[in-house]
Amino acid sequence: MSPIQKPPNTVSFDALLKPLDLGFVQLKNRTVMGSMHTGLEEQWFRLSRLSKFYEERAKAGVALIVTGGISPTLSGRLSPFASQFSSWLQLAKHRKLVDAVHAHGAKICLQILHAGRYAYHPFAVAPSAIKSPISPYTPRALTTRQIKNIIEAFAKTARLAKRAGYDGVEVMGSEGYLINQFICSNTNKRTDEWGGSFDNRMRFSLEIIRAIRQSAGKRFIIIFRLSMLDLHKEGSSWQEIERHAKEIEKAGATLINTGIGWHEVRIPTIAAVVPEAAFSWVTKKLKTAVDIPLITSNRINSPELAERCLQQGDADMVSMARPFLADSQFVQKAMDNQSQLINKCIACNQGCLDRVFKQMRATCMVNPRAAYEEEFPLSQSDSRKRIIVVGLGVAGLSCAYYAASRGHQVIAYDSANLGGQFNLACEIPGKEIYRETVQYFEAQLSILGVEVHRNFEVGIEDLRDVFADAIVFATGVVPRMPDIEGIDHFSVMDYESAILNRAEIKDKVAIIGAGGIGFDVAEMLVSNQEEDWYQSWGIDKQYANRGGLLKEPVNQHSKRDVYLLQRKNEKPGKNLARTTGWIRRLTLRRAGVNMMTGVTYEKIDDFGLHIVHDGKKKTLAVDHVIICTGQESENALYRQLRAIGQPVHIIGGAKKAAELDAETAIREGMVLAYTF
Ligand code: NAP
């Protein structure tokens, strides 16, 4: 067994763990668990699930929790069955939730969110009847009376929240939702007192804050989530944002939280490609304009980064949302000087946002217990069993970890080092952070005393007569090679060799297969590590123009000629994840990658790759042909052992290679471990 425990952390999180005095209430420290929609909000009949989710995080030291967005009205719901809080009949349920959090000394604010034109139903309303590009429904323009009713509805929800015991509310004024739609002129074409001048356009937000303050009283936290960087051409100017912030303070807000970008804008703001703490400079810019505390957010996933933001004076508090999905013990580990052992959010969005968009319950790729705390409690198994895990890619790592943490004796083998296919992802620009996940599991296995055998090729003779209660095969996949004439030509390489030998790849490349890995390889080939990330996405840190955008986009064309090919006649990358697929397609388009669909492969020879496209024969004169055509399961040993009656189980790619992703693999590992 090798010594893989992480070294002790030596950073002291002075600023992060310091309390914050808001005058009428003191917060334990400066961490906010930001608003996240988990899908449990709508399951009021199973409230204990949401309670357990919040409770586990409150118990581990988070200072302030902001709930997922809850609408004050029917029209403001995000989808027809999304949650709404507007009746006293709902008080008892909310009270249970609040009590669970308060029992551990944390505070909780209810986020009030009116979707406006982002509502995914026919009752959508907005300042003007202008459809958003991300909803099929054209909203109805609000009448003056309806505007006043919505302001009153916000106040009523806040009043109810106070009665339920919430410490305050967060008013969602950013990300392109209703309040933001009033503020910006592209969505507000009104000519009455709610539109036209900036004073008129910000009136709606200020009236809401005043109404809440009046109805909920002085000793009630009001956080306003302010869009500090709209990232579209008709967004607010910096002068307007400063004015608005000052007015928000005057209207009675307690804290201002940072909102970045509108959901419809095609600039990434939270994905893994976004640099760490990429937007804390925006919060800092506002520091001198107001006296109330500011909260910064976006791509802050470690106590070190949070501490850095606070030490630099970027903000007074740090909001993290997905990092609390990845590790409920985030603050506790920082307090115990063990931040090195935190399971880091890798900003993949696969377990959280992508699932929510599919109307599924959110969880976390690296922590599949998130939002499933009730079904998978932190408990020990009744009897200690002997479990053998073969293959330590992420499926095997997860199974070994959860089995050992439930008290079983675990012995694990891998024919190489730990991490499997996930190690290839770590080599893709923007996914380097994935290494954190492998390191996390590695450290946990060491702490839990799992016997790990690396570079050990397990054979039938090792397992035929061995005693074990369960032998888990997580032996993964091998790249699939398609049947194309010339597939053995020297110019052909599989994706694994291409990723591991990328320095040797010349300038003309054809990629066969435009799935997740084809996209990964194409991104690797066109990535330019020297370019400034902000400029490459048109963001102006000088904030000279509206929305914080550069006047002219920067040319992103890659010097490599890359072809990305598929046989199907459908949009390339159609099946990529909802919240990150567009970033990947856009990155390749801007880099000039030639994406071809409906391709037939004829042969590969010294002249290049011969294809038929649009009914015409073509030869792509390339130096390399990289094969990204999926995988095949590695499970021969599993089948042999099953035949002789050993208690075998199979998970991950070894079970099903097609469409398997890391999120499913890690979850399968955990689910199986809980059956032992
Ligand atoms: P994949 O998504 O199944 O894509 C395989 C590609 O190869 C398809 O474009 C397919 O398109 C083509 N193909 C399949 N068989 C072929 C054949 N015999 N000849 C020629 N072309 C063939 O597989 P993958 O790209 O290897 O990804 C594996 C899994 O990992 C997927 O589930 C993926 O979602 C996941 N992954 C996810 C990410 C992420 O960022 N979330 C990144 C990488 C991988 P045609 O059949 O149309 O030619």
Side-chain angles (χ1 to χ4, degrees):
M1 195 174 99
S2 41
I4 46 181
Q5 189 164 344
K6 286 195 177 185
N9 183 52
T10 50
V11 184
S12 81
F13 304 108
D14 288 345
L16 184 67
L17 301 175
K18 201 160 91 183
L20 182 70
D21 196 346
L22 296 177
F24 56 94
V25 65
Q26 195 177 70
L27 301 174
K28 276 207 265 197
N29 54 54
R30 288 162 192 252
T31 51
V32 181
M33 177 170 134
S35 175
M36 276 180 284
H37 188 83
T38 60
L40 293 172
E41 293 77 3
E42 285 75 39
Q43 297 188 6
W44 286 111
F45 51 94
R46 286 207 184 118
L47 183 77
S48 54
R49 289 179 173 171
L50 190 57
S51 277
K52 285 236 156 42
F53 171 70
Y54 287 145
E55 200 178 348
E56 195 168 300
R57 282 132 185 102
K59 199 172 173 181
V62 63
L64 174 63
I65 290 174
V66 181
T67 68
I70 293 188
S71 177
T73 65
L74 186 70
S75 66
R77 294 183 184 196
L78 275 163
S79 60
F81 299 106
S83 43
Q84 175 181 341
F85 187 13
S86 52
S87 159
W88 62 268
L89 294 171
Q90 296 155 298
L91 277 176
K93 292 173 180 175
H94 280 274
R95 238 177 233 139
K96 276 193 195 157
L97 203 66
V98 170
D99 290 348
V101 171
H102 282 169
H104 302 287
K107 307 284 178 210
I108 181 163
C109 289
L110 178 96
Q111 189 189 71
I112 315 181
L113 180 152
H114 191 301
R117 70 177 194 155
Y118 282 172
Y120 224 75
H121 53 69
F123 311 111
V125 293
S128 304
I130 304 168
K131 195 178 102 50
S132 99
I134 57 171
S135 168
Y137 301 98
T138 302
R140 275 177 302 114
L142 288 160
T143 62
T144 307
R145 173 173 288 278
Q146 287 169 331
I147 291 173
K148 291 188 173 156
N149 287 346
I150 292 178
I151 294 169
E152 175 43 34
F154 267 86
K156 182 178 177 194
T157 300
R159 224 166 26 239
L160 289 168
K162 191 174 181 193
R163 279 181 66 191
Y166 284 99
D167 302 279
V169 290
E170 177 171 82
V171 177
M172 179 37 127
S174 65
E175 327 297 298
Y177 291 115
L178 181 69
I179 294 177
N180 221 176
Q181 291 158 27
F182 267 92
I183 295 163
C184 292
S185 58
N186 59 320
T187 40
N188 184 348
K189 304 287 181 199
R190 302 180 73 94
T191 50
D192 58 7
E193 74 268 38
W194 306 100
S197 68
F198 188 69
D199 278 2
N200 283 353
R201 284 183 276 130
M202 69 175 169
R203 189 186 309 280
F204 183 62
S205 61
L206 302 178
E207 291 293 334
I208 286 172
I209 301 170
R210 285 186 200 113
I212 293 175
R213 181 56 75 213
Q214 201 181 4
S215 70
K218 280 187 184 159
R219 300 170 70 82
F220 191 66
I221 299 171
I222 303 177
I223 309 170
F224 188 87
R225 182 111 184 244
L226 172 65
S227 186
M228 297 190 197
L229 189 68
D230 289 313
L231 295 177
H232 64 80
K233 278 192 201 143
E234 288 169 86
S236 300
S237 68
W238 184 252
Q239 293 72 19
E240 287 169 346
I241 285 164
E242 274 197 351
R243 269 212 57 216
H244 195 183
K246 286 181 203 256
E247 294 300 323
I248 288 166
E249 181 173 17
K250 268 195 239 160
T254 323
L255 293 157
I256 296 180
N257 194 1
T258 305
I260 303 288
W262 286 36
H263 288 320
E264 66 200 61
V265 165
R266 287 307 185 221
I267 297 176
T269 55
I270 60 165
V273 291
V274 178
E276 292 176 332
F279 299 105
S280 63
W281 61 272
V282 189
T283 319
K284 185 175 192 170
K285 212 170 154 61
L286 198 63
K287 279 288 284 168
T288 50
V290 289
D291 290 326
I292 53 175
L294 297 185
I295 307 171
T296 196
S297 75
N298 287 50
R299 286 291 284 116
I300 301 170
N301 70 344
S302 69
E304 286 81 358
L305 266 180
E307 181 74 9
R308 192 181 82 196
C309 294
L310 295 173
Q311 296 284 7
Q312 284 174 182
D314 295 353
D316 305 281
M317 293 188 83
V318 178
S319 171
M320 290 167 270
R322 295 171 300 169
F324 283 102
L325 282 176
D327 199 330
S328 61
Q329 308 301 303
F330 184 100
V331 182
Q332 188 63 53
K333 287 180 184 171
M335 289 195 283
D336 296 344
N337 218 13
Q338 285 196 320
S339 82
Q340 305 284 57
L341 296 176
I342 289 174
N343 193 3
K344 301 265 165 51
C345 163
I346 58 172
C348 65
N349 290 352
Q350 281 174 251
C352 49
L353 290 165
D354 287 334
R355 280 171 61 101
V356 168
F357 275 115
K358 288 186 222 154
Q359 309 293 321
M360 292 164 78
R361 194 193 317 179
T363 180
C364 176
M365 177 163 101
V366 301
N367 173 24
R369 274 193 69 248
Y372 284 80
E373 289 78 7
E374 189 169 81
E375 291 95 322
F376 300 98
L378 290 171
S379 60
Q380 294 286 297
S381 169
D382 296 338
S383 61
R384 181 172 161 87
K385 295 187 179 127
R386 182 177 160 86
I387 313 290
I388 294 177
V389 177
V390 184
L392 288 170
V394 287
L397 282 170
S398 161
C399 189
Y401 163 63
Y402 286 104
S405 59
R406 288 180 41 75
H408 299 301
Q409 180 198 3
V410 180
I411 303 151
Y413 299 89
D414 197 283
S415 59
N417 217 330
L418 315 189
Q421 292 272 307
F422 217 64
N423 290 330
L424 294 176
C426 304
E427 300 294 329
I428 305 301
K431 290 189 176 176
E432 297 85 352
I433 189 179
Y434 282 37
R435 217 174 297 284
E436 295 273 357
T437 303
V438 178
Q439 287 172 0
Y440 168 77
F441 280 119
E442 206 175 343
Q444 293 298 327
L445 297 199
S446 178
I447 291 167
L448 291 163
V450 173
E451 192 179 314
V452 176
H453 299 269
R454 297 153 193 265
N455 303 309
F456 192 111
E457 186 80 48
V458 178
I460 182 91
E461 62 288 353
D462 299 304
L463 299 177
R464 183 190 286 126
D465 301 318
V466 78
F467 167 73
D469 293 290
I471 305 176
V472 178
F473 279 84
T475 35
V477 290
V478 284
R480 179 203 287 143
M481 294 305 269
D483 186 16
I484 301 173
E485 188 186 328
I487 195 75
D488 297 326
H489 192 264
F490 66 85
S491 62
V492 177
M493 59 210 305
D494 64 35
Y495 64 83
E496 210 168 314
S497 342
I499 292 172
L500 297 177
N501 302 295
R502 62 178 177 280
E504 288 161 29
I505 298 178
K506 299 190 186 122
D507 280 350
K508 291 186 191 315
V509 183
I511 301 170
I512 296 187
I517 294 189
F519 267 77
D520 272 359
V521 170
E523 280 170 52
M524 176 188 85
L525 294 175
V526 298
S527 111
N528 174 3
Q529 301 287 357
E530 262 122 64
E531 81 194 353
D532 177 274
W533 182 84
Y534 298 95
Q535 283 196 3
S536 72
W537 285 98
I539 301 170
D540 175 21
K541 286 181 87 176
Q542 303 307 314
Y543 222 126
N545 308 302
R546 286 190 169 277
L549 292 184
L550 291 171
K551 272 263 182 275
E552 292 295 329
V554 175
N555 184 11
Q556 301 294 308
H557 228 273
S558 163
K559 64 177 174 40
R560 268 208 178 100
D561 281 346
V562 177
Y563 298 89
L564 182 59
L565 314 170
Q566 73 179 27
R567 296 172 303 180
K568 284 190 283 293
N569 215 345
E570 62 181 33
K571 186 166 91 172
K574 183 173 167 246
N575 296 324
L576 293 176
R578 169 99 179 248
T579 62
T580 48
W582 63 269
I583 304 173
R584 310 184 67 193
R585 283 188 292 270
L586 197 53
T587 302
L588 296 195
R589 263 208 302 276
R590 294 186 324 168
V593 171
N594 196 337
M595 293 185 244
M596 296 165 96
T597 62
V599 172
T600 305
Y601 308 109
E602 296 223 300
K603 63 176 174 182
I604 303 160
D605 62 16
D606 293 350
F607 296 98
L609 173 64
H610 300 258
I611 58 168
V612 178
H613 184 237
D614 282 343
K616 290 187 202 116
K617 283 182 182 275
K618 289 179 190 165
T619 302
L620 307 178
V622 291
D623 305 307
H624 307 276
V625 178
I626 302 178
I627 307 297
C628 302
T629 53
Q631 296 82 17
E632 278 158 12
S633 300
E634 279 253 90
N635 54 22
L637 187 54
Y638 159 78
R639 284 186 273 115
Q640 283 174 316
L641 284 170
R642 191 179 56 176
I644 58 172
Q646 281 286 46
V648 288
H649 301 264
I650 190 160
I651 54 171
K655 184 169 106 187
K656 185 183 176 215
E659 291 165 31
L660 185 95
D661 56 34
E663 194 259 314
T664 315
I666 295 176
R667 187 153 29 84
E668 278 184 13
M670 176 193 72
V671 171
L672 178 61
Y674 268 81
T675 64
F676 300 143

